[in-house]
Amino acid sequence: MFFYKNNELYVEDVKVSDIALEYKTPIYIYSKNHFENQYKKLDQKITRKHLICFALKANSNLAVINTFAKLGAGADVVSAGEIFRAKKAGIDTTKIVFSGVGKTQEEIKYAIENNILMFNVESFEELEEIENVASSLGKIAQISFRVNPNVDPKTHPYISTGLKKNKFGISYTQIIDAYKLANQMKHVRIKGIQFHIGSQLTDVSPFFEAQLKVANIMKELLSLGIKLDIIDIGGGLGVVYENEQEPDLDQYSNFINQAFKDFPDSLIVLEPGRFLVANGGIFVTKVLYRKQNEGKNFYIVDGAMNDLIRPSLYDAYHKIEPVVKKNVAKVQADIVGPVCESGDFFAKSREIDNLERNDLVSIFSSGAYGFTMASNYNSRCRPAEVLVDKDTVKVVRSRETFEDLIRGEAI
Ligand code: LLP
């Protein structure tokens, strides 16, 4: 948890300013307690038999994955690299679901060898590839199909995935044929059905719309003699970044119960990413310089778009506050990084305390799609990540060095 006490920002029992002093900036700071609480909250609200598969793409630090592994979580992965991480972090591979439109032959092989729970298959050609790879290994691959239900999630266009114009899944009109085809294959076993309509949904009703469509598909399949053990309802639960309404988990759970009441024995798989980790992380950066251009204020900080790209990429809002509040007047300023692009900003025309050089600021809600989307653009070393558990601070990824920057390169 992150909170202010006597105008100082704390993460659990530790002052954020102490962490920044010791481990320098820019830095990602995570609260283990928040991660665990979010997991338990969701786990308790879903009343049906279920498995929570943490979407690793949101935050794939080994210590973060391990926190969920210990609570019994599986993983939703989108690459062989994520399977590797999941294993290293202690996730039971039989609890891994593999999503993504472009799984390579090598990735399919690696996944089968690791006995994952299932592939969420996104095209007819991918199905064929899985059948071929499984056959060459003399194994049976478990699959579900990702259906594109053509439902509007009413979220940012870059993160909506369940509309027919999106590249994801197999269309509603072709899905039955896909199951018929798979049913005849020797090396695939049909396990379930999956959908994921988008991310950062705070209104859960679009989920229900998709769930009803999926239940209809399941009824049609049953009439063809195809029974599904698993209903994977994807991720997408939103969080509060600014002043959004938190998703209503009771309603979410009720919708699941209602939509799938005719399939009481099927296991519900959930693939939450953001919901579990977004507000369990902050990104702390230091003011390097201030300047005014034509009356416009700029705070230039030591973090940049390469560290946290969400504002630049999606125009995403992240709350920004000083780590130590000094009760000074507010100003309007752009908070920008050192990268050589005008798109390198964390906030524009933001009302914020009048900051001085070396002041620390916290960029909140950075636990999801923060470090995982970081790059080395401008040959900047990626920041350190620390995980706080009550009064214990652990560096769970050290700050990169110059040597890290050139690893594998040659002249
Ligand atoms: N399952 C599938 C198949 C997905 O594609 C995603 C996210 C998730 C689960 C997890 O969704 P979540 O529960 O986190 O909403 N970089 C963007 C978000 C991209 C999400 C992509 N897919 C951002 O920073 O907002």
Side-chain angles (χ1 to χ4, degrees):
M1 293 308 293
F2 298 91
F3 60 94
Y4 280 91
K5 193 166 81 187
N6 300 329
N7 288 325
E8 276 254 19
L9 181 61
Y10 280 75
V11 48
E12 303 201 8
D13 301 340
V14 187
K15 276 186 189 170
V16 168
S17 55
D18 286 347
I19 298 175
L21 197 66
E22 181 155 0
Y23 301 106
K24 311 283 181 290
T25 55
I27 189 165
Y28 278 97
I29 301 175
Y30 305 131
S31 159
K32 187 170 180 183
N33 183 264
H34 181 89
F35 294 155
E36 290 173 339
N37 284 346
Q38 289 297 99
Y39 183 93
K40 289 178 190 163
K41 204 195 293 183
L42 186 60
D43 200 33
Q44 283 159 11
K45 289 286 181 188
I46 306 299
T47 51
R48 277 191 53 147
K49 182 177 65 164
H50 64 276
L51 172 67
I52 297 178
C53 290
F54 171 48
L56 296 200
K57 63 172 86 66
N59 189 326
S60 56
N61 182 284
L62 292 184
V64 179
I65 303 171
N66 178 256
T67 302
F68 296 120
K70 283 194 175 137
L71 294 170
D76 164 45
V77 306
V78 288
S79 68
E82 285 190 347
I83 296 176
F84 174 74
R85 275 186 182 278
K87 268 173 59 171
K88 285 273 176 204
I91 297 261
D92 175 353
T93 57
T94 63
K95 292 184 185 172
I96 293 179
V97 297
F98 191 175
S99 309
V101 291
K103 305 172 188 81
T104 66
Q105 196 178 77
E106 292 74 21
E107 288 181 313
I108 293 168
K109 184 163 178 270
Y110 186 68
I112 295 176
E113 285 168 349
N114 278 292
N115 290 316
I116 64 161
L117 176 58
M118 63 184 186
F119 290 90
N120 290 332
V121 179
E122 304 217 19
S123 64
F124 286 82
E125 293 194 352
E126 181 192 333
L127 176 69
E128 248 171 68
E129 189 74 18
I130 293 173
E131 164 73 10
N132 291 339
V133 176
S135 158
S136 69
L137 293 172
K139 291 215 172 191
I140 297 208
Q142 308 205 113
I143 64 135
S144 76
F145 285 104
R146 175 171 180 171
V147 59
N148 182 330
N150 193 22
V151 166
D152 188 353
K154 304 184 186 86
T155 184
H156 192 289
Y158 278 22
I159 50 179
S160 57
T161 47
L163 284 168
K164 63 181 176 195
K165 67 177 179 190
N166 299 129
K167 70 178 174 182
F168 298 98
I170 294 180
S171 76
Y172 200 66
T173 52
Q174 292 176 299
I175 196 77
I176 298 293
D177 286 343
Y179 279 97
K180 282 183 183 161
L181 187 61
N183 207 21
Q184 289 159 12
M185 290 180 163
K186 288 201 177 66
H187 297 91
V188 300
R189 178 179 301 134
I190 297 171
K191 285 297 279 185
I193 187 159
Q194 189 253 9
F195 69 92
H196 172 81
I197 54 175
S199 199
Q200 180 55 13
L201 275 78
T202 48
D203 171 7
V204 294
S205 44
F207 288 127
F208 190 46
E209 206 183 316
Q211 287 161 7
L212 290 174
K213 286 191 171 183
V214 167
N216 280 337
I217 297 170
M218 290 177 69
K219 279 175 200 152
E220 199 173 335
L221 288 173
L222 207 52
S223 72
L224 297 168
I226 301 173
K227 192 174 159 288
L228 305 181
D229 298 337
I230 297 179
I231 307 167
D232 180 342
I233 59 172
L237 280 173
V239 298
V240 176
Y241 283 94
E242 188 175 7
N243 46 23
E244 302 87 342
Q245 187 69 36
E246 271 193 59
D248 182 338
L249 293 184
D250 289 312
Q251 197 183 23
Y252 186 59
S253 178
N254 288 340
F255 281 159
I256 296 166
N257 294 344
Q258 209 179 317
F260 302 115
K261 61 180 183 309
D262 296 331
F263 306 95
D265 302 328
S266 306
L267 174 76
I268 303 287
V269 167
L270 299 98
E271 301 174 352
R274 191 186 318 264
F275 178 82
L276 297 180
V277 290
N279 282 321
I282 59 174
F283 177 65
V284 175
T285 177
K286 186 175 76 181
V287 178
L288 295 175
Y289 304 110
R290 299 166 300 174
K291 69 175 176 183
Q292 272 195 334
N293 278 351
E294 310 271 341
K296 199 173 160 64
N297 294 310
F298 290 93
Y299 289 129
I300 300 150
V301 295
D302 62 0
M305 66 188 287
N306 73 292
D307 304 309
L308 173 65
I309 202 175
R310 301 193 72 256
S312 307
L313 192 57
Y314 312 117
D315 215 8
Y317 178 94
H318 285 256
K319 198 172 82 178
I320 304 178
E321 302 271 5
V323 167
V324 181
K325 289 188 177 169
K326 297 184 194 156
N327 288 321
V328 291
K330 300 251 184 221
V331 292
Q332 217 182 51
D334 283 15
I335 299 158
V336 302
V339 162
C340 305
E341 302 228 14
S342 298
D344 179 23
F345 64 88
F346 293 122
K348 288 197 159 162
S349 304
R350 183 72 64 87
E351 190 94 347
I352 186 161
D353 284 15
N354 201 349
L355 300 169
E356 292 174 41
R357 284 188 76 181
N358 297 317
D359 279 350
L360 298 168
V361 292
S362 166
I363 304 185
F364 288 89
S365 313
S366 299
Y369 306 108
F371 189 90
T372 50
M373 295 180 82
S375 75
N376 292 115
Y377 187 39
N378 278 207
S379 284
R380 289 170 51 87
C381 297
R382 283 183 296 172
E385 294 173 282
V386 302
L387 180 69
V388 178
D389 182 9
K390 300 186 187 73
D391 58 358
T392 310
V393 181
K394 183 159 186 214
V395 178
V396 291
R397 192 177 206 276
S398 43
R399 186 177 302 286
E400 286 181 339
T401 62
F402 290 161
E403 286 307 315
D404 291 328
L405 287 180
I406 57 167
R407 173 157 312 128
E409 290 185 34
I411 292 173

